[in-house]
Amino acid sequence: MPELKAKFAELFGSTPELMAQAPGRVNLVGEHVDFLDGFVLPFAIEDVTTVAISRTVQPTIRIASLQQTDEIFVVQMKDLAPMTGEAWTRYPIGVIWAMRDSLDFRGGFDILIDGKVPLGAGLSSSAALECAIATALNHLFNLNISEPVLARIAQKGENVYVGMPCGIMDQSVSIMGRKGSALLLDCRDLSTEHIPFNISPLGLELLVIDTQVHHALVDGGYAERRASCEKAVAVLGITSLRDISVADFVARKSELDETTYIRAFHGVTEMQRVLDGVAALKAGDFKEFGQIITASHISLRDNYTVSCPELNVAVDTALSLGALGSRMIGGGYGGSAIALIRADQTENMKKAIASAFAAAGFIAPRFFTSLPSAGAQIVK
Ligand code: GLA
């Protein structure tokens, strides 16, 4: 990290006390169910956000990014309070705010960020940033906060300080991801199981297709759908959508209005798909696993209605070329799709998807591949 250290010294006139990094994520299956106490199966990607940080005597946070070096944002510690607006600095500052009571500290911080998780690609660059800060503070103050609690703190920063009602998936996998495995996360109690996802020796690859679009509506649509699912829980008088089987839920259809039913139907079936997907992976049945992730896409497209034309073209093209499975990931309305493909198909697949985008008049997509990688850690 010599570039980060050098720039830190240039901006703040000192060497950073500590550096920490945290990854973005892809989600294999389990979409829009983390806020419903559901199961999800994401993995941490290779791309990370790194933060260099020092404590200062002055009770001021100074914060800058290698990607936008000309600007240093300054906030007084005493002024920390949930913010509105668009500033990216809300994400790191929100975590400091969420941890402030644990810090027993009258000073401030100098922070420089190097964000290598592609922005706006639906790969959780914001969670990576939050979790890098949370990990750095945990070590800097010897807090010994456990991984699940640290994930909850990062989520609280985003929920309350930034005002985005996200679930717990992105922060959990950014902190608890392990190399070589997908993370089966039970979002009710944050218990985990690491599910090996060693696809390279099988000649498989996970292609990430970034549509490069981010349609408006995303935040309002997210909250509105979440509210529908919570309404279903209330009307049915259950503790969570995960406490009702698909058959029992379908049998009670008449108790719900149409929109509430169809949104919650996605939730109930998606949780089952995660469990079925894990069983398929454990059995080494990637064909079955592929079909499960495609079924997830269809439900997100038709029931939960958070897909968009670009995501659908990416998925349909990948499937038409023989992908084992393909789906949109993350919040939806843009961002990325994944396709589980044979590694020898990668170049053809990229060309075909790029051509399909051009033919539809969409902006050109970006492509990544990633294997499951490590969660947040201190950088030596
Ligand atoms: C966003 C949120 C997550 C999760 C996904 C959808 O990434 O941050 O908590 O809800 O959308 O699965």
Side-chain angles (χ1 to χ4, degrees):
M1 300 280 133
E3 197 200 342
L4 189 59
K5 271 190 182 163
K7 193 71 194 176
F8 190 97
E10 187 190 317
L11 290 176
F12 302 124
S14 64
T15 313
E17 263 184 273
L18 184 137
M19 293 193 290
Q21 68 179 38
R25 62 102 188 90
V26 294
N27 186 18
L28 291 173
V29 64
E31 215 65 86
H32 287 277
V33 292
D34 58 345
F35 46 78
L36 299 173
D37 280 353
F39 301 100
V40 293
L41 190 67
F43 71 67
I45 57 174
E46 287 149 30
D47 298 314
V48 295
T49 288
T50 308
V51 302
I53 184 165
S54 283
R55 284 170 286 198
T56 60
V57 175
Q58 287 296 325
T60 301
I61 302 171
R62 294 192 292 180
I63 189 160
S65 151
L66 274 192
Q67 282 70 39
Q68 294 173 29
T69 43
D70 299 339
E71 245 176 319
I72 300 183
F73 292 85
V74 181
V75 185
Q76 302 302 321
M77 288 289 277
K78 67 173 172 44
D79 294 339
L80 287 188
M83 281 166 82
T84 52
E86 295 294 315
W88 64 268
T89 48
R90 291 177 300 154
Y91 294 90
I93 295 173
V95 176
I96 300 175
W97 171 83
M99 290 181 89
R100 69 201 181 289
D101 292 338
S102 322
L103 298 183
D104 187 23
F105 176 55
R106 295 183 186 286
F109 300 97
D110 285 339
I111 300 173
L112 181 60
I113 291 158
D114 185 11
K116 293 269 169 56
V117 180
L119 288 181
L123 300 176
S124 281
S125 56
S126 44
L129 176 51
E130 292 156 10
C131 294
I133 297 279
T135 301
L137 295 180
N138 196 22
H139 281 74
L140 214 45
F141 290 90
N142 289 316
L143 299 175
N144 288 318
I145 297 174
S146 69
E147 291 183 327
V149 175
L150 209 54
R152 289 260 185 239
I153 290 171
Q155 181 201 22
K156 183 177 173 194
E158 185 158 341
N159 285 170
V160 184
Y161 197 92
V162 178
M164 166 66 186
C166 65
I168 191 64
M169 169 171 72
D170 306 343
Q171 293 80 2
S172 297
V173 67
S174 184
I175 288 177
M176 298 192 265
R178 297 285 180 272
K179 191 167 188 248
S181 294
L183 184 76
L184 172 60
L185 176 74
D186 178 338
C187 298
R188 173 174 276 171
D189 61 8
L190 299 195
S191 58
T192 59
E193 185 182 343
H194 297 283
I195 310 293
F197 193 73
N198 290 320
I199 52 174
S200 302
L202 303 170
L204 298 177
E205 180 112 83
L206 193 81
L207 181 66
V208 180
I209 306 131
D210 173 11
T211 62
Q212 302 236 61
V213 297
H214 181 79
H215 291 297
L217 266 182
V218 66
D219 299 344
Y222 184 94
E224 182 258 313
R225 281 161 178 73
R226 179 178 174 154
S228 284
C229 292
E230 288 164 352
K231 181 175 170 195
V233 168
V235 172
L236 296 177
I238 52 179
T239 40
S240 152
L241 288 182
R242 91 137 192 242
D243 295 323
I244 188 163
S245 68
V246 175
D248 288 348
F249 179 79
V250 171
R252 296 185 65 182
K253 182 173 183 191
S254 61
E255 294 174 49
L256 301 170
D257 65 77
E258 204 176 323
T259 304
T260 305
Y261 174 77
I262 201 71
R263 305 283 198 249
F265 180 78
H266 167 75
V268 175
T269 55
E270 185 74 357
M271 293 183 205
Q272 188 57 46
R273 277 188 285 275
V274 174
L275 301 178
D276 294 346
V278 167
L281 286 181
K282 285 182 174 170
D285 190 343
F286 282 86
K287 192 163 169 255
E288 168 75 7
F289 185 72
Q291 285 167 359
I292 290 168
I293 71 173
T294 302
S296 166
H297 180 77
I298 293 168
S299 180
L300 288 159
R301 186 190 67 196
D302 299 346
N303 300 330
Y304 211 67
T305 60
V306 289
S307 192
C308 65
E310 293 85 349
L311 286 166
N312 295 337
V313 166
V315 167
D316 292 347
T317 310
L319 291 173
S320 72
L321 274 136
L324 279 79
S326 183
R327 60 181 288 267
M328 56 150 283
I329 60 167
Y333 308 106
S336 292
I338 53 171
L340 183 62
I341 61 175
R342 289 200 328 266
D344 61 12
Q345 287 180 303
T346 308
E347 290 313 313
N348 276 348
M349 193 71 80
K350 287 185 192 173
K351 270 192 210 135
I353 295 171
S355 307
F357 269 53
F362 302 154
I363 52 169
R366 288 189 294 181
F367 299 98
F368 312 95
T369 55
S370 187
L371 291 171
S373 305
Q377 55 192 299
I378 297 302
V379 182
K380 300 288 177 215

